[in-house]
């Protein structure tokens, strides 16, 4: 009935939100140093960087590549989420493989 359909829809929404949390990756520029543009994908600059001491506190270490969350925020705000005060990017939403 209707109650079962509503419960199913609520569960699907919860599943989608959980999946979104697992897809989104920290990409806040405040967590990065030694930033350098290395290319472009789907109109977004691709960067290389080293995680800084703020990132280390989140368990992020070493070198990485990807996009800058502030650049994504200005073009695809729905692809941005926040965790512990830092921006994360849902790479699937912007068509950039990570």
């Amino acid at each position: 009935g209707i109650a079962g359909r509503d419960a199913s829809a609520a569960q699907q929404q919860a599943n989608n939100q959980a999946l979104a949390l697992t897809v989104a990756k920290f990409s806040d520029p405040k967590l990065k140093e030694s930033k350098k543009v290395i290319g472009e994908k789907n109109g977004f600059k691709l960067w290389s960087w080293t995680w800084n001491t703020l990132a280390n506190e989140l368990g992020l270490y070493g070198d990485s590549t990807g996009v800058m969350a502030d650049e994504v925020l200005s073009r695809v705000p729905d692809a941005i989420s926040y965790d512990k005060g830092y921006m994360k990017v849902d790479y699937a939403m912007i068509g950039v493989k990570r």
Side-chain angles (χ1 to χ4, degrees), residues 11-93:
Q11 183 60 50
Q12 185 61 48
Q13 183 178 6
N15 290 346
N16 290 346
Q17 289 172 340
L19 180 61
L21 292 176
T22 62
V23 172
K25 306 286 184 196
F26 280 109
S27 203
D28 197 305
K30 292 181 284 199
L31 301 172
K32 304 169 181 182
E33 61 189 22
S34 304
K35 299 175 268 194
K36 185 172 100 176
V37 176
I38 59 170
E40 183 186 323
K41 176 73 173 180
N42 281 352
F44 293 97
K45 289 180 197 168
L46 295 178
W47 297 78
S48 66
W49 66 82
T50 302
W51 295 110
N52 64 23
T53 54
L54 292 172
N56 297 165
E57 293 173 14
L58 299 170
L60 303 168
Y61 298 91
D63 299 328
S64 193
T65 61
V67 298
M68 293 290 166
D70 56 338
E71 294 176 357
V72 175
L73 180 64
S74 68
R75 294 191 39 218
V76 188
D78 289 346
I80 299 296
S81 59
Y82 293 85
D83 186 355
K84 298 177 178 66
Y86 298 105
M87 289 185 283
K88 287 180 140 182
V89 171
D90 182 335
Y91 277 80
M93 285 184 72

